[in-house]
């Protein structure tokens, strides 16, 4: 299925007629991005798609607890008279028997004294189809099964509650039932129960009939009590959601006003002291280095020349010392030759030769020394030039880099401290936040109480059902001409037992695949992709367990808000893949409570691959300029919803917020 166009006329905040082209231009650009600020009409857009498809059975956000007609009347734009009415048109196409078939669902309504009067027209390939228009409520499941619609059309911020595994249980039960067609099995089993019950009652004795009637009245009362309790749960849930939204908005406002910095002010002061001490220590170490041999780096070339000159001086001294030793030896040699009467000519010739030899060895005349370094001093100087000085330069550079880093951190801390608001400035917001916390707690308590009432009413109803069933069985036993009736009832009971076994086995065989798809989806999206290593779903109760690296069970409370939202997205994504249905995905507030990395994963790994068509309804803070640059290559259409607070009208124009 491909959504081609959505037309809104005087629907909610959309005054006048607004048309959105949704058909992806190419398979590589499946995303339609619609940007708006809060209150700009994003939720109305999502609700309109569901309302167009499912009418009274649509699970829209803004319907509340009133009747469908009252909801339609409220949905008419406030700037027009109710009798002018409103309309939604949703055009889509699907492939049937190898050819594209185009459908247009036109749902219009006008206000009346009791609510609203609705009209539904279905066009197939631009031609009205009156039969399909009359039967649309029964046949819409062939296009989009209601049981799986929530897997494809959802509010990204609200789905986090699915990570509360008790909430996920009912969603999994409904979705898996719809995916496997088990809703038909359940309906057949329920119909058989009614047939059995009616058959037993029809053939009961007058006395038993009277008793059955009395029990039926009690059962009707219990059912009424249960429905009333359910209404109270819905009201309590709505109050709880509203209280949580108020709290969330206050948390955001406090954060924007610097509340987080105020909470961190002590931490910032401690960081300032620590960083200042670190900077002082680094300065001391740098001073010590500067007081040592480090400054010699400035005259390194001259020191190398000095070392070379010292070597020359030491060599010259060494040659002079050798020449002095030879002179003493030569003098002794000449004296011994004369004592042994060697002819003078010979002695004089030898003496001249030795004198010339010493002159040659002595070399240049000895000059005054400049360096005054001995060999140990020259060796120390060489060691300093070859390695010691480099080590000190490296140490100094490292200290300077550390000091620069500390200086930057000090500036960040000082900047943060400068922005810390006074406690008085946030006092009113903190009081309102405390009130909001109390309101959330009270709403949660009321919700728990209402849910307990539903449980109690359901238990009473179930007990009465069982009691009525036992009476019916007794009535059946009392039948006189009972052969055919008994056989009918026995066959019906056997069929119901078989259906129950079929349901269990079909669920068990598919749960393994669904677990794997959910886990794969989660590991593609999560930043700590090894945090959850396994997910198990009980095929009987649909309870979900998360397992960590060492096989231990993880509780949802151990996950951050962003991780819970990713888990919920993974559940929907895994189930959507398991459904095998090529349906568009529509997401309102897709990045609500995610941090930067989780947002990046969702933008890069989920949105372009969630389906062949993805419609995102985002604020400027969710898909901001950086996110838009990452996503734009996958975007085929962009719209911007602008709401005029003075006129109360939202208008749509092409182009995104950035």
């Amino acid at each position: 299925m491909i959504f081609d166009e959505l037309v809104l006329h005087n629907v909610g905040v959309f005054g006048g007629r607004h048309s959105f082209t949704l058909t992806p231009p190419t398979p590589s650009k499946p995303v339609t991005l619609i940007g708006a600020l809060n209150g700009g009409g994003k939720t109305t857009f999502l609700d309109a798609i569901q309302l167009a498809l499912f009418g009274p059975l649509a699970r829209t956000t803004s319907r509340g607890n009133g009747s469908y007609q009252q909801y339609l009347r409220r949905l008419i734009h406030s700037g027009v008279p109710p009798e002018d009415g409103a309309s939604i048109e949703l055009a889509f196409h699907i492939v049937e028997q190898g050819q594209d078939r185009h459908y247009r669902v036109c749902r219009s309504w006008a206000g009346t004294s009791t609510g609203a009067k609705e009209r539904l027209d279905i066009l197939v390939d631009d031609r009205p189809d009156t039969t399909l228009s009359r039967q649309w409520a029964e046949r819409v499941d062939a296009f989009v099964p209601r049981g799986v619609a929530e897997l494809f059309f959802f509010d990204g911020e609200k789905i986090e509650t699915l990570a509360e595994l008790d909430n996920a249980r009912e969603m999994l039960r409904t979705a898996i039932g719809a995916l496997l067609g088990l809703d038909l099995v359940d309906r057949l089993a329920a119909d058989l129960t009614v047939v059995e019950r009616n058959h037993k009652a029809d053939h009961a004795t007058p006395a038993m009939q009277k008793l059955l009637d009395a029990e039926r009245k009690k059962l009707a009362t219990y059912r009424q009590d249960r429905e009333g309790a359910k209404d109270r749960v819905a009201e309590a849930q709505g109050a709880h959601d509203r209280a949580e939204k108020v709290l969330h908005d206050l948390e955001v406002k406090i954060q924007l006003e610097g509340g987080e910095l105020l909470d961190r002010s002590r931490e910032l002061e401690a960081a300032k002291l620590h960083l200042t001490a670190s900077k002082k220590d680094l300065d001391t170490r740098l001073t010590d280095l500067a007081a040592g041999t480090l400054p010699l780096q400035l005259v390194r070339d001259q020191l190398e020349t000095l070392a070379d000159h010292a070597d020359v001086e030491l060599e010259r001294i060494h040659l002079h010392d050798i020449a002095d030793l030879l002179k003493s030896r030569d003098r002794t040699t000449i004296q011994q030759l004369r004592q042994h009467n060697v002819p003078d000519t010979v002695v004089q010739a030898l003496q001249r030769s030795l004198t010339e030899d010493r002159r040659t060895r002595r070399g240049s005349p000895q000059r005054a020394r400049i360096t005054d370094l001995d060999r140990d001093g020259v060796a120390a100087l060489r060691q300093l030039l070859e390695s010691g000085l480099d080590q000190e330069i490296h140490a100094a550079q490292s200290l300077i880099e550390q000091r620069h880093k500390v200086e930057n951190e000090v500036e960040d801390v000082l900047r943060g401290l400068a922005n810390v608001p006074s406690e008085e400035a946030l006092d009113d917001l903190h009081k309102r936040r405390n009130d909001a916390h109390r309101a959330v707690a009270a709403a949660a308590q009321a919700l728990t109480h209402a849910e307990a009432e539903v449980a109690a009413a359901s238990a009473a109803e179930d007990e009465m059902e069982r009691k009525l069933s036992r009476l019916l069985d007794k009535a059946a036993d009392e039948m006189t001409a009972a052969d055919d009736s008994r056989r009918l009832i026995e066959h019906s009971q056997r069929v119901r037992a078989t259906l129950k076994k079929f349901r269990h086995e079909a669920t068990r065989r598919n749960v393994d695949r669904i677990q794997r798809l959910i886990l794969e989806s989660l590991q593609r999206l999560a930043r700590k992709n090894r945090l959850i290593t396994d997910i198990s779903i009980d095929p009987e109760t649909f309870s979900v367990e998360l397992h960590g690296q060492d096989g231990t069970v993880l509780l949802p409370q151990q996950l951050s808000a962003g991780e819970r939202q990713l888990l919920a997205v993974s559940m929907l994504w895994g189930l959507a893949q398991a459904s095998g249905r090529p349906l568009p995905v529509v997401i309102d507030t897709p990045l609500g409570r995610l941090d930067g990395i989780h947002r990046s994963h969702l933008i890069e790994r989920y949105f372009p691959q969630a389906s062949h068509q993805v419609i995102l309804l985002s604020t400027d803070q969710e898909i901001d300029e950086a996110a838009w640059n990452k996503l734009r290559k996958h975007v085929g259409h962009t719209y911007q919803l602008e709401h005029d607070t003075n006129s109360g009208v939202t208008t749509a124009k092409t182009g995104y917020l950035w």
Side-chain angles (χ1 to χ4, degrees):
M1 170 184 275
I2 294 284
F3 287 159
D4 295 312
E5 184 185 27
L6 180 69
V7 180
L8 304 177
H9 182 232
N10 288 337
V11 178
V13 295
F14 291 92
R17 181 183 174 86
H18 300 274
S19 174
F20 299 85
T21 299
L22 304 176
T23 314
T26 66
S28 63
K29 291 180 177 292
V31 178
T32 294
L33 182 59
I34 299 174
L37 302 180
N38 290 328
K42 302 188 306 300
T43 303
T44 303
F45 188 101
L46 174 61
D47 285 352
I49 290 177
Q50 300 189 75
L51 182 60
L53 289 170
F54 303 119
L57 299 179
R59 296 176 180 175
T60 57
T61 305
S62 55
R63 178 166 175 175
N65 300 319
S67 68
Y68 178 59
Q69 285 70 26
Q70 290 171 340
Y71 167 59
L72 289 181
R73 184 183 174 95
R74 287 201 313 273
L75 205 54
I76 298 172
H77 180 60
S78 58
V80 300
E83 56 270 22
D84 284 4
S87 66
I88 300 171
E89 295 180 24
L90 178 63
F92 63 88
H93 71 269
I94 60 175
V95 177
E96 292 180 343
Q97 298 179 346
Q99 293 185 339
D100 285 347
R101 179 64 62 88
H102 293 262
Y103 293 83
R104 181 173 288 268
V105 182
C106 305
R107 197 178 290 274
S108 59
W109 63 94
T112 65
S113 58
T114 57
K117 184 176 181 180
E118 184 186 40
R119 175 187 172 94
L120 177 63
D121 295 292
I122 309 295
L123 281 69
V124 181
D125 293 335
D126 295 326
R127 301 178 63 179
D129 188 325
T130 54
T131 302
L132 186 57
S133 299
R134 286 196 307 273
Q135 300 176 351
W136 179 253
E138 292 77 28
R139 295 179 58 180
V140 65
D141 278 7
F143 301 96
V144 184
R146 283 191 297 273
V148 300
E150 288 181 285
L151 307 180
F152 297 90
F153 314 143
F154 57 86
D155 184 329
E157 200 168 43
K158 291 185 177 178
I159 61 168
E160 185 197 334
T161 59
L162 293 180
E164 299 298 332
L165 302 181
D166 287 341
N167 296 332
R169 184 184 307 165
E170 190 57 35
M171 185 273 292
L172 287 169
R173 184 192 305 278
T174 303
I176 291 175
L179 294 179
L180 304 180
L182 298 179
D183 48 345
L184 294 177
V185 175
D186 293 340
R187 197 180 309 165
L188 177 57
D191 290 345
L192 286 171
T193 301
V194 172
V195 169
E196 289 175 30
R197 183 169 295 172
N198 292 339
H199 193 79
K200 292 172 182 176
D202 291 344
H203 293 79
T205 63
M208 182 59 74
Q209 288 278 8
K210 187 176 179 180
L211 186 58
L212 287 172
D213 289 342
E215 298 302 332
R216 281 197 184 103
K217 288 180 181 176
K218 291 181 183 177
L219 180 59
T221 302
Y222 287 135
R223 283 178 177 166
Q224 191 174 3
D225 292 345
R226 186 197 60 184
E227 292 304 315
K230 279 188 174 180
D231 290 342
R232 289 192 288 280
V233 167
E235 291 176 6
Q237 183 68 59
H240 185 261
D241 291 345
R242 289 192 293 276
E244 280 205 325
K245 185 174 188 311
V246 169
L247 176 59
H248 175 68
D249 292 345
L250 282 170
E251 296 280 10
V252 172
K253 192 168 184 179
I254 289 173
Q255 187 175 355
L256 292 175
E257 295 288 337
E260 185 182 1
L261 288 174
L262 181 60
D263 294 339
R264 292 180 53 218
S265 58
R266 289 187 179 178
E267 181 186 335
L268 290 173
E269 288 290 353
K272 176 186 170 185
L273 292 176
H274 172 72
L275 291 170
T276 302
S278 297
K279 183 180 174 185
K280 187 176 179 181
D281 177 62
L282 290 168
D283 286 343
T284 301
R285 292 164 66 185
L286 279 169
T287 302
D288 291 345
L289 278 176
T293 56
L294 181 64
L296 294 179
Q297 171 64 16
L298 298 173
V299 292
R300 186 170 190 145
D301 293 342
Q302 290 84 345
L303 290 177
E304 288 179 348
T305 303
L306 178 64
D308 293 342
H309 192 81
D311 282 338
V312 171
E313 285 183 344
L314 290 173
E315 179 63 21
R316 189 179 296 140
I317 291 172
H318 177 67
L319 292 174
H320 277 272
D321 290 344
I322 292 175
D324 290 342
L325 288 174
L326 290 175
K327 184 178 180 181
S328 175
R329 186 204 62 184
D330 293 347
R331 187 182 299 118
T332 302
T333 302
I334 293 300
Q335 287 175 354
Q336 289 179 348
L337 289 174
R338 283 177 174 163
Q339 287 174 359
H340 289 82
N341 298 320
V342 175
D344 287 342
T345 55
V346 174
V347 172
Q348 289 173 355
L350 178 59
Q351 190 171 15
R352 284 195 298 273
S353 174
L354 292 174
T355 300
E356 183 59 26
D357 177 64
R358 289 198 305 273
R359 185 182 298 114
T360 302
R361 290 179 181 274
R362 190 182 297 275
S364 58
Q366 192 166 8
R367 300 173 185 172
R369 295 190 62 187
I370 299 174
T371 63
D372 200 24
L373 289 174
D374 58 14
R375 293 203 175 275
D376 290 341
V378 173
L381 181 58
R382 290 288 185 195
Q383 191 276 333
L384 178 66
L385 291 170
E386 290 171 1
S387 61
L389 205 50
D390 290 336
Q391 291 175 359
E392 295 218 0
I393 291 170
H394 179 73
Q397 288 174 337
S398 175
L399 290 174
I400 290 171
E401 289 175 2
Q402 291 179 52
R403 190 180 187 282
H404 181 66
K405 183 179 178 183
V406 169
E407 275 187 330
N408 289 336
E409 292 177 352
V410 169
E411 288 180 7
D412 289 341
V413 169
L414 292 177
R415 197 178 302 117
L417 285 171
N419 292 327
V420 172
S422 66
E423 292 191 11
E424 292 77 13
L426 294 178
D427 192 45
D428 179 58
L429 285 174
H430 282 154
K431 288 179 180 175
R432 289 166 60 190
R433 182 174 63 179
N434 291 337
D435 290 343
H437 274 298
R438 284 191 286 272
V440 169
Q445 187 176 9
L447 178 59
T448 302
H449 180 71
E451 288 174 340
E453 286 185 335
V454 170
S458 298
E461 181 187 351
D462 293 343
E463 177 57 31
M464 183 51 63
E465 288 270 14
R466 287 192 288 272
K467 185 176 181 182
L468 189 58
S469 179
R470 288 195 294 271
L471 284 174
L472 289 169
D473 290 340
K474 185 177 179 182
D477 293 340
E478 291 175 354
M479 294 177 194
T480 51
D483 287 350
D484 291 341
S485 297
R486 200 183 305 280
R487 278 198 295 274
L488 186 148
I489 292 171
E490 288 174 354
H491 287 315
S492 176
Q493 289 173 340
R494 281 201 293 271
V495 171
R496 283 197 294 116
T498 302
L499 289 174
K500 185 177 180 181
K501 291 180 181 176
F502 170 78
R503 192 185 202 291
H504 176 79
E505 188 62 19
T507 303
R508 188 188 63 76
R509 291 189 179 185
N510 284 275
V511 155
D512 290 345
R513 177 168 170 262
I514 291 172
Q515 291 172 172
R516 178 175 53 78
L517 288 171
I518 292 175
L519 182 62
E520 288 176 356
S521 300
L522 178 63
Q523 292 183 341
R524 290 170 71 180
L525 296 180
R527 175 158 50 98
K528 302 173 188 174
N529 58 3
R530 298 302 298 169
L531 177 62
I532 298 173
T533 57
D534 194 17
I535 295 174
S536 60
I537 301 172
D538 187 318
E540 192 65 34
T541 63
F542 296 96
S543 61
V544 181
E545 275 193 354
L546 310 176
H547 300 273
Q549 292 185 0
D550 54 358
T552 56
V553 175
L554 288 175
L555 298 176
Q557 294 82 357
Q558 294 174 262
L559 307 178
S560 68
E563 288 167 343
R564 288 200 297 272
Q565 186 169 344
L566 286 190
L567 174 60
V569 170
S570 302
M571 286 184 177
L572 295 176
W573 195 9
L575 285 166
Q577 293 175 79
S579 75
R581 292 181 178 272
L583 296 176
V585 168
V586 186
I587 311 173
D588 183 15
T589 320
L591 301 172
R593 300 182 182 181
L594 299 177
D595 60 27
I597 294 179
H598 285 142
R599 287 184 176 207
S600 180
H601 286 190
L602 222 60
I603 289 168
E604 296 173 358
R605 303 178 184 178
Y606 176 57
F607 295 151
Q609 304 171 42
S611 181
H612 59 285
Q613 183 178 26
V614 179
I615 299 173
L616 301 178
L617 301 156
S618 166
T619 66
D620 58 338
Q621 293 183 347
E622 290 181 277
I623 297 183
D624 54 17
E625 188 170 7
W628 161 244
N629 288 330
K630 292 180 181 176
L631 188 64
R632 63 188 310 166
K633 61 184 176 184
H634 304 292
V635 176
H637 300 289
T638 56
Y639 291 97
Q640 181 178 352
L641 308 181
E642 290 185 344
H643 184 69
D644 186 338
T645 54
N646 294 323
S647 64
V649 175
T650 287
T651 55
K653 65 180 183 180
T654 56
Y656 189 59
L657 301 167
W658 300 103

